Amino acid sequence: MNRLPRTLGLALLGLCSTGLLANAGLAQTRMDRTRTSEFPAGSAEATDIRQWLQDHAHYLNGNMIGELDKLGTLTVTWQAQQSDPATPDDDLPLALPASGASGDRISISSCGSDKLEQQSWRYQWAGSASDGSWVLESYHYSRTSCATED
């Protein structure tokens, strides 16, 4: 009679640990996918990125954060949380998305046209995919040479 409860206990322990392992496997399939692209000043893509920054602008004391008239070459990094690790990063669109999913991030950096002003914005999607918005996490500006050696 003592064997039945012990056997049942071992069976339950086995089911629980199998469930935990299965859940651990699901958690491991969620991963970040990142796409980084660079766009020269004056390109159609740079114009679209400028408009995206304008559309998602944040204001401090009535002034927009960032100096969009001083944008030069733009580098955009889009980091998306995906549950399908088999999908290649190249499937991320080049255009900046209007919406996102929890955990998605967009970073935009610019080396000014005079190569002396660096700006960077970092946004994170807040809310659900159907009811959320891009929220500015950080903005940095520095007046330092960003020219690269050729």
Side-chain angles (χ1 to χ4, degrees):
M1 192 149 179
N2 281 342
R3 291 185 64 162
L4 185 57
R6 181 174 179 191
T7 305
L8 184 59
L10 290 175
L12 287 174
L13 179 62
L15 287 174
C16 289
S17 64
T18 302
L20 290 173
L21 291 175
N23 286 337
L26 288 175
Q28 290 176 353
T29 61
R30 190 152 175 86
M31 61 181 281
D32 288 339
R33 291 180 32 219
T34 303
R35 180 177 195 136
T36 300
S37 302
E38 189 172 287
F39 305 99
S43 66
E45 295 87 354
T47 301
D48 290 344
I49 294 165
R50 184 183 194 285
Q51 185 61 52
W52 192 94
L53 286 168
Q54 179 72 44
D55 293 345
H56 296 88
H58 288 262
Y59 294 83
L60 182 64
N61 299 326
N63 296 312
M64 185 176 78
I65 295 174
E67 297 187 31
L68 301 184
D69 59 327
K70 296 183 179 181
L71 296 177
T73 298
L74 292 161
T75 302
V76 176
T77 300
W78 180 22
Q79 184 179 24
Q81 299 246 334
Q82 300 292 320
S83 57
D84 181 6
T87 306
D89 290 345
D90 288 343
D91 285 349
L92 291 175
L94 288 175
L96 292 173
S99 64
S102 179
D104 288 1
R105 283 195 167 91
I106 293 175
S107 297
I108 302 169
S109 62
S110 171
C111 177
S113 56
D114 61 4
K115 303 287 188 215
L116 292 176
E117 290 156 333
Q118 295 178 357
Q119 297 183 76
S120 64
W121 295 259
R122 188 168 88 185
Y123 290 84
Q124 181 169 357
W125 183 257
S128 68
S130 61
D131 185 27
S133 63
W134 290 106
V135 175
L136 182 66
E137 287 186 316
S138 65
Y139 169 76
H140 296 282
Y141 173 92
S142 68
R143 187 142 173 83
T144 307
S145 176
C146 51
T148 58
E149 296 293 322
D150 290 331

